Amino acid sequence: MLNEPLISEPQEQQRQPLSFPPSLLNYLYVGHFLARWGARMWEFSVGLYMINVWPDSLALAAAYGVVESASMALFGPVVGRLVDKFTYIKVLRLWLLSQNFSFMIAGGTVVALLLYEDVKSENFIVFLSFILLINISGAVGVLSTLAGTILVEREWVVVISEGQHPGVLTKMNATIRRIDLVCKLFAPVVSGFIISFVSLTASALTLAIWNILSVCLQYWLLMSVYNGIPALSESSQKRVYRSLPTDSERSSLTDESRNSHYLGDNDLEPLDHGWMRKVIERVSRISYFRAWKVYLEQDVVLPGIALAFLYFTVLSFGTLMTAALEWQGIPAYTIGIARGISATIGILATFLYPVLESQLSTLRTGLWSIWSQWTCLVVCVASIWVPNKLGAAYLLMGGVALSRLGLWMFDLAVIQQMQDQVPESDRCVVGGVQNSLQSVLDLTTYVMGIIISNPRDFWKLIILSLLVVTLAAVLYSIHIYRVRKHLFHFEKLYPLVRIVFR
C-alpha cells in the first residue's frame, strides 16, 4: 500500500509542468490568430468582389482560384524546401512581410477597382491590369501563408512538444486548428456585415488596414516565442548545419571537378552509354522532383492523397460556392453567418478529436471521420432536387456545415499521422508537397468552375464533388486495411446490432 502511487501515471503526465513559461504558448496562439484572420478575410471576400465586378458569371472568381491554386501547386514544394533550408528567423520575416504586404496591395487594388466602376468599359486594359494585380498579390499572399503554416503547424509545434508529456502535441494541434476555425467563423461574419451594411469598398479597405497594423505585433509575438523557447533556436541551428555540405560531399565534388579536367576523347565514349542515367540523376537533384520523391516514399502517402482529394470540391464555403449563393440572391451577411456556423461545427471537431483519438486511436478516428463527412455531403446532393430555390440553398449550406465535423477531425488525424511517422529531416518537405498536392486538386475545382461557369449548372459540380470525396474515403479505407488488416471489429458490432433489432 505504501509503495502505490497516489496519482495514476496518465494524470501525472498531464500535471507535469512545461519546460518553458506557458505564456509563450499564448503568444504563439495570438500571433497565429492575427495571421490567419487576415487570410480568412481575404479568402471569404474575394469571391464576392469578383462576382460584383463581373455579374452573372463565375468566370472571374474561378480564374482567381486557378491562379491561386496553380501557384500553390507549382511553388508549394519549393516553399517547403525554402522553409527547410532557411533559419526560423529568416522564414518568419519573409512570411510576415510578404503575406501582409501582398494582402494590403490586393485590398487596395480592389478599392481602386470598385471606386472606378467605369474602368471596364472605358479602358479594358487598365481593368485587366487591376484584375491581374489582384490575382498575383493574392497568390503571393497565399504562398506566404503556406510558409507560415509549415513553420508553425508542421515545425514549431513538433519541436516545442518534444520532451513534454505525450498530450502536449495533441492539445497544441487541436488549439492551432481551433484558432484557424475561429478565424473562419468570425472573419466571414465581420466581412459579410461590412459588405451588406456598409459597402464592398469598406470591406476591402478594412482588409488593407488590418494587414498594415497587425504585422508588427505578429512579429513581436512570434519572436518572443522563438527567444523564450531554447528548443526552437537549437533546432534552427541544426537546420543550418544540416544544409552545409559534409566533408565527404566536398571531397567528392573536388574529385569530380578534378577528373573532369583530365577527360580525353577516348574517355567520352563510355560516358555516352550512361547518359540516360546521368539525366535521371540530374533531374532527381532538382529540388521540386526530389521533394515529390521524398513524399511518395512516406508510409502516410495514402492518407495524404485522401486528404488532398477533399480539396477537389465546391462543397465548402469557398470562392465558387460563395459566388453561386450570391447569384441565387442569398445576402452576404447570411452567407457569412452560415460560414460562421460551419466554422463553429469545425471548432467542436477540435474538442471532439482528442477524446475520440484517445479512445479509438488516430487511424480509426480518421476512418470514422471521413465517412461521417461523406454522409453529410449526401444531403447537399439531395438539395439538387428541391424545387424551391431558397430551400435548396439552405439545405446545401446545412449539409456543408454539418460535414465540417468529419472534415476537420479527418484533417487532424492525417496531420498527426504525418507528425508521428515522417522523419524530422523530411517534415518540411512533406508538408510543402502535401499543400502543393492539395492546391493541384483545388486548382482542378476552379478549372471545372471555368468550364461550368453558368451558375445554373452548379448542381453538376456538386455531384462531381461527392464522387471525389467518395474516392478519398475509399483510399483511406484501403490504407487502414493495409495497416490493421481489417476495417471494423464486427464481433463488437454484433451485440449492438442485436440490441437495436430487439
Side-chain angles (χ1 to χ4, degrees), residues 58 314 320-321 324 396 454-462:
L58 301 176
V314 295
L320 288 178
M321 181 170 160
L396 172 64
N454 193 332
R456 294 179 181 83
D457 296 329
F458 191 70
W459 63 272
K460 298 177 182 177
L461 297 175
I462 293 176

Side-chain angles (χ1 to χ4, degrees), residues 16-93:
Q16 181 182 346
L18 297 172
S19 59
F20 52 84
S23 59
L24 292 177
L25 286 183
N26 294 329
Y27 284 9
L28 176 67
Y29 297 149
V30 174
H32 185 66
F33 167 80
L34 293 174
R36 297 306 295 171
W37 182 274
R40 290 301 185 185
M41 284 182 70
W42 173 253
E43 179 186 287
F44 171 75
S45 303
V46 64
L48 300 177
Y49 298 148
M50 294 304 185
I51 197 69
N52 277 271
V53 169
W54 200 301
D56 298 326
S57 176
L58 301 176
L60 270 188
Y64 171 80
V66 166
V67 173
E68 180 185 289
S69 301
S71 301
M72 289 281 283
L74 291 174
F75 301 112
V78 178
V79 170
R81 296 288 297 183
L82 291 177
V83 173
D84 186 55
K85 181 180 179 182
F86 292 159
T87 62
Y88 287 156
I89 294 179
K90 184 177 288 187
V91 174
L92 182 64
R93 289 170 179 169

Side-chain angles (χ1 to χ4, degrees), residues 122-333:
E122 293 178 356
N123 195 330
F124 194 70
I125 300 298
V126 174
F127 172 77
L128 285 181
S129 301
F130 280 160
I131 296 297
L132 185 62
L133 184 58
I134 291 172
N135 288 343
I136 294 174
S137 300
V140 173
V142 171
L143 285 172
S144 306
T145 304
L146 169 62
T149 300
I150 296 173
L151 179 68
V152 174
E153 297 184 13
R154 306 294 173 91
E155 192 69 19
W156 279 22
V157 167
V158 179
V159 173
I160 291 171
S161 64
E162 288 176 351
Q164 313 299 327
H165 61 80
V168 170
L169 178 60
T170 301
K171 185 177 179 181
M172 289 185 69
N173 281 332
T175 304
I176 289 290
R177 183 62 64 221
R178 195 175 302 136
I179 289 169
D180 189 27
L181 291 171
V182 165
C183 295
K184 205 169 186 177
L185 163 62
F186 290 106
V189 174
V190 172
S191 299
F193 272 91
I194 294 174
I195 291 171
S196 297
F197 299 106
V198 186
S199 66
L200 276 171
T201 306
S203 87
L205 191 60
T206 302
L207 173 70
I209 294 174
W210 172 269
N211 285 279
I212 294 172
L213 297 179
S214 65
V215 60
C216 295
L217 182 57
Q218 293 174 49
Y219 182 73
W220 178 79
L221 288 167
L222 295 175
M223 279 301 299
S224 298
V225 175
Y226 176 82
N227 293 325
I229 301 179
L232 290 176
S233 57
E234 293 171 5
S235 178
S236 184
Q237 290 298 321
K238 289 179 183 177
R239 292 152 63 90
V240 174
Y241 295 142
R242 194 171 65 231
S243 63
L244 296 175
T246 61
D247 293 335
S248 59
E249 289 175 343
R250 290 195 194 97
S251 61
S252 63
L253 290 173
T254 305
D255 293 339
E256 287 180 6
S257 60
R258 187 184 299 117
N259 293 333
S260 64
H261 290 292
Y262 296 102
L263 286 175
D265 294 336
N266 295 329
D267 296 324
L268 293 175
E269 185 176 354
L271 294 179
D272 291 338
H273 297 289
W275 67 272
M276 181 65 73
R277 179 174 57 84
K278 291 201 169 188
V279 169
I280 295 174
E281 288 178 356
R282 287 180 180 272
V283 169
S284 65
R285 290 175 186 171
I286 300 174
S287 60
Y288 186 87
F289 293 98
R290 190 187 307 166
W292 277 96
K293 183 175 182 291
V294 169
Y295 178 82
L296 293 174
E297 290 173 349
Q298 304 300 319
D299 294 333
V300 291
V301 62
L302 274 183
I305 293 174
L307 178 61
F309 270 126
L310 299 184
Y311 283 76
F312 183 22
T313 180
V314 295
L315 298 176
S316 67
F317 287 93
T319 305
L320 288 178
M321 181 170 160
T322 302
L325 292 171
E326 171 81 6
W327 175 82
Q328 288 182 348
I330 307 298
Y333 72 90

Side-chain angles (χ1 to χ4, degrees), residues 170 174 348-370 372 405-410 412-413 416:
T170 301
L348 294 176
T350 65
F351 288 101
L352 184 59
Y353 171 75
V355 178
L356 291 180
E357 192 269 341
S358 63
Q359 298 295 324
L360 299 177
S361 80
T362 308
L363 281 171
R364 292 167 63 194
T365 302
L367 181 66
W368 287 100
S369 300
I370 192 168
S372 65
L405 186 69
L407 170 65
W408 290 116
M409 286 199 297
F410 181 72
L412 284 167
Q416 187 154 344

